[in-house]
């Protein structure tokens, strides 16, 4: 693992559930790559998870990653809850299925490919990387709502 990549992620939803978008800004050695997308019916938490997954998936080889998110749900899930969910076969302490288990499992798979350090930032607080990720997530929402032409290549 040599290259250090910063990934700024965000999710957005207009209604919860409703049309949603995700955005990820990858920065490595001064080079930036923007990723975004959306779904017509989803939740904010699913979009936050998708942003992190898609950002990590974009990396073609193992990297040292600083992943910056404003999602307390993602931070608590990855740092506190996931270890016990896995021990219990993706069940909560109340023996209920974990919400968004499909995405948590994908995130776990991606995290295991890299050395990931997680950082939480307060959303909509002027953090440049987070603001860019928020803009990308809203672009994803606008595209699925037909308010902005879809981009052919991401």
């Amino acid at each position: 693992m040599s290259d250090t990549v910063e990934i700024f992620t965000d999710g957005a939803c207009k209604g919860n559930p409703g049309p949603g978008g995700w955005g990820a800004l990858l920065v490595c050695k001064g080079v930036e790559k923007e990723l975004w997308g959306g779904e017509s019916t989803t939740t904010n938490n699913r979009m936050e998870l998708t942003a992190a997954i898609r950002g990590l998936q974009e990396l073609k080889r193992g990297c040292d990653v600083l992943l910056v998110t404003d999602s307390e749900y993602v931070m608590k899930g990855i740092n506190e809850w996931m270890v016990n969910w896995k021990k219990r076969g993706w069940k909560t302490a109340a023996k209920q299925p974990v919400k968004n288990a499909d995405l948590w499992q994908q995130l776990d798979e991606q995290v295991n490919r890299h050395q990931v350090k997680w950082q939480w930032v307060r959303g909509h607080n002027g953090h440049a990387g987070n603001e860019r990720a928020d803009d990308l997530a809203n672009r994803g929402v606008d595209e699925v709502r037909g308010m902005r032409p879809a981009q052919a290549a991401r």
Side-chain angles (χ1 to χ4, degrees):
M1 308 248 178
S2 57
D3 295 336
T4 298
V5 180
E6 291 178 295
I7 304 177
F8 303 91
T9 66
D10 201 13
C13 217
K14 306 301 179 193
N16 203 14
W22 59 270
L25 172 66
L26 286 69
V27 182
C28 183
K29 298 179 189 166
V31 177
E32 296 183 349
K33 182 165 191 172
E34 295 180 333
L35 304 171
W36 69 92
E39 296 179 20
S40 58
T41 306
T42 188
T43 65
N44 190 62
N45 284 343
R46 288 189 68 81
M47 291 294 90
E48 294 281 4
L49 286 164
T50 299
I53 292 163
R54 295 295 291 271
L56 292 167
Q57 280 176 337
E58 191 68 17
L59 304 174
K60 303 306 180 209
R61 63 182 180 277
C63 297
D64 290 319
V65 176
L66 173 62
L67 199 147
V68 180
T69 178
D70 64 4
S71 171
E72 292 186 43
Y73 175 70
V74 170
M75 289 297 290
K76 286 184 177 170
I78 203 78
N79 290 317
E80 298 174 29
W81 304 331
M82 189 183 293
V83 65
N84 289 318
W85 290 340
K86 289 165 73 172
K87 285 180 187 170
R88 291 190 291 259
W90 295 97
K91 298 271 196 268
T92 66
K95 306 209 181 339
Q96 297 301 308
V98 170
K99 285 183 181 166
N100 305 313
D102 58 329
L103 295 178
W104 283 112
Q105 289 164 0
Q106 289 178 50
L107 182 59
D108 186 41
E109 184 179 310
Q110 291 305 314
V111 166
N112 287 328
R113 295 178 50 231
H114 307 286
Q115 292 290 348
V116 182
K117 180 180 174 199
W118 295 85
Q119 180 181 338
W120 181 81
V121 296
R122 185 172 304 283
H124 312 288
N125 207 33
H127 184 285
N130 179 254
E131 296 292 340
R132 294 267 307 275
D134 180 65
D135 289 344
L136 293 167
N138 281 297
R139 183 183 300 179
V141 174
D142 289 349
E143 286 181 9
V144 297
R145 293 169 80 195
M147 297 172 69
R148 194 186 297 221
Q151 297 288 321
R154 301 234 191 309

